[in-house]
Amino acid sequence: MNIQKTILCGILLCAGATCTMAQTEVRTEAQATVGSGDHNPLWLNANKYGLSSVKTNNGYLRAGLFHSIECDSARRWAIGYGADIAVATGFTSKAVVHQAYADVRWLKGLLTIGAKEQRAELKNQELSSGAQTLGVNARPVPGVRLALPDYWTVPYTRGWLALKGHISYGMMTDDNWQKEFLTEDDKRTEHAKIHTKAGYLRIGKKGKPVSVELGLEMACQYGGTTYTFNPYPTVPGTVEYVSIKNKDGIKGMISALVPGGDGEKGEGVYDNASGNHLGSYLIRVNMDYDKWYLGLYADHFFEDHSQMFFLDYDGYGQGEEYNEWKESRWLVYDLKDIMLGAELKLKGQRWVNDIVVEYLYTKYQSGPIYHDRTRHVSDHIAGLDDYYNNYMQTGWQHWGQVMGNPLYRSPLYNDDHLIRVENNRFWAWHIGLSGDPIDNLHYRLLATWQRGWGTYTMPLPDPERNMSLLAEAEYRFALTHKLAGWGVKAAFGLDHGGLLGNNTGVQLTVSRRFDIKQF
């Protein structure tokens, strides 16, 4: 108890907070992972908001103080906050300010300032392999977020339509890590910003068994200064390392919000949207009955127009007119890259009560050819999408972990210390299931089979296979027990194959949660 008092007092001083005793929760946690092989097994590391490590031996001590706005749900306005810190070994940093945020709710709207874990939408976060755009695999990015977090029924639709969504701006915090990770001069970006937005539409009356949810998630990395090789060196044929100031400030925010217009410096006639834009189309069909629930869903990822709209303009002129629109001619791209999933909940069952099956295919990427119009060849072919990578920003990653689905291999795995995703063309099958066989005991099992081809620009010599497994169980003591609030979690992870290596590991987590009134 003395240790907990010390930690709690420190957090209270940092937060400068006053609160109602029964409404504020303290969470403390200790975790240790030991293993063998090249890396920590995938499912002991992935989808943990970046509070994890790819090193075989790692651990942390963690403490947090949280006041939820749900405590004031009956009021028109509410205030919440959270402070969550960890001291770690084997991580990308020894001290981690994981969360530090304030929530302000007015009616249905929610303003969040700071770094906060945000849940993935339209997927089972515990059993899914992960969202492709707004995932839970990397550290939270501090920023400002305005959200309609829960579905709001649209007036005059008789309850059949409801909306929710968010918009946010933030700043990446991994500048120093990028410098330390790179072993030689290569691309990195300092003070990069991030913008995300998402909207979701639910069709179907609340309380009815069948409903459909449609979603659009979009994100953009922009701004900052990129240190990279000059694509247009002053002396043709030479290698030149330069710093490039990307569009920032209000103009950068607008370009991130509304893609289009002039691109980055040096693009010339080939200017595109400023920043690294990406996103997903989502759909989920829900069938919810007394004894069972079935959800069917899809997540289609895109990096540019070719997979966002499945077509691109290709009617440029010849010769001196190579940069002018002359004909009504378009290239049509296929819908091949997609995540397809199904979730079955068996209500009233204990041993197995939730099952998720997913298939993920990302090999197409609009094809292996990218060519922009020239005086001699006027065709515009927008393939080679290179998911999660970008030639100006450091790609869809934060602190070396991808910010989407962890089956895109994160830069932290790269032996060459390049900050890029080196396996983004793959197919994978993923299965997850969970249950509660006895009171207070919960378990989950994950199994993933993957075959990867690397990338179009850096293909693997031969396709590599990988299998990743997880067995995890957690016991939380009942409220009537003298150890109420304590929990113990044990997990075993395994990787086998060429993509991640042959790895095994065990992980033990001990935690305690209690209200301040118990302190």
Side-chain angles (χ1 to χ4, degrees):
M1 181 62 74
N2 289 334
I3 294 176
Q4 291 170 342
K5 285 183 178 180
T6 302
I7 294 173
L8 176 58
C9 290
I11 295 174
L12 284 171
L13 288 173
C14 292
T18 58
C19 56
T20 302
M21 300 296 273
Q23 296 177 342
T24 304
E25 183 181 51
V26 176
R27 305 173 193 169
T28 58
E29 187 172 271
Q31 183 179 100
T33 304
V34 294
S36 62
D38 299 319
H39 306 288
N40 190 17
L42 175 68
W43 296 123
L44 293 182
N45 160 63
N47 288 339
K48 296 187 176 182
Y49 292 98
L51 193 60
S52 57
S53 174
V54 300
K55 293 186 178 180
T56 52
N57 300 313
N58 63 83
Y60 64 76
L61 297 174
R62 179 183 186 184
L65 178 73
F66 299 90
H67 177 87
S68 174
I69 59 171
E70 299 301 323
C71 299
D72 300 319
S73 58
R75 300 162 64 177
R76 295 171 65 88
W77 63 275
I79 296 176
Y81 52 81
D84 184 6
I85 60 176
V87 178
T89 180
F91 280 41
T92 50
S93 55
K94 293 181 179 179
V96 181
V97 181
H98 187 62
Q99 299 183 86
Y101 65 87
D103 285 333
V104 180
R105 177 182 59 78
W106 172 256
L107 299 177
K108 299 290 185 180
L110 177 64
L111 175 67
T112 300
I113 301 174
K116 181 183 180 182
E117 296 179 352
Q118 301 292 346
R119 292 189 60 82
E121 297 284 354
L122 307 191
K123 292 181 180 67
N124 182 317
Q125 187 165 303
E126 181 188 37
L127 300 181
S128 171
S129 65
Q132 294 200 81
T133 298
L134 303 180
V136 298
N137 189 59
R139 289 194 195 181
V141 177
V144 178
R145 188 177 196 263
L146 183 62
L148 187 64
D150 301 312
Y151 277 116
W152 169 72
T153 302
V154 180
Y156 309 111
T157 63
R158 297 185 178 181
W160 281 93
L161 295 179
L163 300 170
K164 67 177 179 180
H166 84 270
I167 182 171
S168 75
Y169 285 92
M171 177 179 285
M172 317 288 277
T173 61
D174 62 350
D175 292 0
N176 290 334
W177 171 83
Q178 291 183 42
K179 292 180 183 179
E180 294 172 359
F181 185 75
L182 292 171
T183 56
E184 59 184 43
D185 285 346
D186 201 83
K187 183 184 64 184
R188 62 182 176 86
T189 306
E190 289 188 354
H191 308 311
K193 317 302 187 299
I194 184 172
H195 162 67
T196 68
K197 51 182 173 284
Y200 309 91
L201 173 67
R202 186 183 68 199
I203 304 171
K205 269 193 174 182
K206 189 176 181 180
K208 295 291 184 179
V210 179
S211 64
V212 177
E213 295 175 275
L214 305 173
L216 173 61
E217 297 178 346
M218 296 188 69
C220 177
Q221 292 169 291
Y222 71 98
T225 302
T226 298
Y227 298 87
T228 187
F229 298 107
N230 187 0
Y232 306 100
T234 53
V235 179
T238 64
V239 177
E240 185 177 85
Y241 199 71
V242 296
S243 63
I244 302 173
K245 187 71 174 71
N246 302 313
K247 186 185 294 185
D248 225 323
I250 298 298
K251 291 183 178 180
M253 295 175 68
I254 294 173
S255 295
L257 177 66
V258 184
D262 55 337
E264 302 291 359
K265 292 181 180 179
E267 290 183 323
V269 298
Y270 302 119
D271 61 348
N272 202 343
S274 176
N276 177 30
H277 293 264
L278 54 123
S280 285
Y281 292 120
L282 306 174
I283 183 171
R284 186 176 181 110
V285 180
N286 305 293
M287 291 162 276
D288 194 356
Y289 291 90
D290 292 339
K291 295 185 177 181
W292 56 272
Y293 162 88
L294 178 64
L296 304 175
Y297 55 92
D299 179 340
H300 169 67
F301 181 76
F302 55 84
E303 282 266 8
D304 58 19
H305 292 83
S306 60
Q307 285 300 297
M308 184 177 186
F309 301 115
F310 305 107
L311 80 168
D312 212 349
Y313 183 74
D314 187 34
Y316 293 98
Q318 301 286 333
E320 295 299 322
E321 298 180 318
Y322 79 101
N323 199 38
E324 299 180 19
W325 288 35
K326 304 297 291 186
E327 303 177 48
S328 179
R329 187 173 66 189
W330 302 81
L331 275 179
V332 179
Y333 300 87
D334 295 330
L335 171 57
K336 292 183 178 180
D337 294 340
I338 197 165
M339 171 193 281
L340 299 174
E343 179 180 7
L344 176 64
K345 294 182 179 180
L346 302 173
K347 301 179 181 179
Q349 302 298 314
R350 305 203 67 169
W351 283 94
V352 178
N353 51 34
D354 208 339
I355 304 170
V356 167
V357 178
E358 293 178 340
Y359 173 71
L360 183 54
Y361 184 94
T362 70
K363 286 178 59 182
Y364 176 50
Q365 302 190 24
S366 303
I369 299 173
Y370 181 88
H371 179 272
D372 224 330
R373 67 270 187 192
T374 67
R375 287 178 171 82
H376 306 291
V377 181
S378 62
D379 289 306
H380 174 77
I381 304 173
L384 210 68
D385 288 349
D386 203 11
Y387 295 164
Y388 286 22
N389 291 318
N390 185 260
Y391 80 101
M392 290 298 287
Q393 299 289 335
T394 51
W396 196 231
Q397 67 83 38
H398 193 215
W399 287 86
Q401 296 273 29
V402 298
M403 292 191 282
N405 188 295
L407 298 183
Y408 297 83
R409 194 174 68 193
S410 291
L412 277 179
Y413 287 96
N414 295 344
D415 293 331
D416 57 15
H417 285 258
L418 298 179
I419 305 177
R420 58 177 287 111
V421 174
E422 295 185 349
N423 183 59
N424 60 20
R425 297 185 62 242
F426 61 87
W427 60 254
W429 282 97
H430 173 81
I431 298 174
L433 59 90
S434 64
D436 304 271
I438 62 174
D439 290 345
N440 307 314
L441 177 65
H442 178 77
Y443 80 88
R444 64 172 177 153
L445 301 174
L446 303 180
T448 309
W449 296 266
Q450 184 178 14
R451 192 178 189 193
W453 279 258
T455 69
Y456 275 130
T457 56
M458 298 174 61
L460 296 173
D462 294 297
E464 297 281 4
R465 297 181 182 273
N466 200 81
M467 176 183 67
S468 296
L469 303 176
L470 174 74
E472 179 183 270
E474 180 178 19
Y475 186 84
R476 300 208 66 85
F477 290 90
L479 294 177
T480 55
H481 196 279
K482 64 180 181 180
L483 294 178
W486 286 90
V488 179
K489 182 192 297 183
F492 170 78
L494 168 71
D495 294 332
H496 182 75
L499 289 177
L500 300 179
N502 298 322
N503 315 304
T504 58
V506 292
Q507 191 173 83
L508 179 66
T509 308
V510 179
S511 62
R512 191 190 178 197
R513 298 182 177 185
F514 59 94
D515 292 337
I516 282 189
K517 69 178 181 179
Q518 297 175 256
F519 175 67

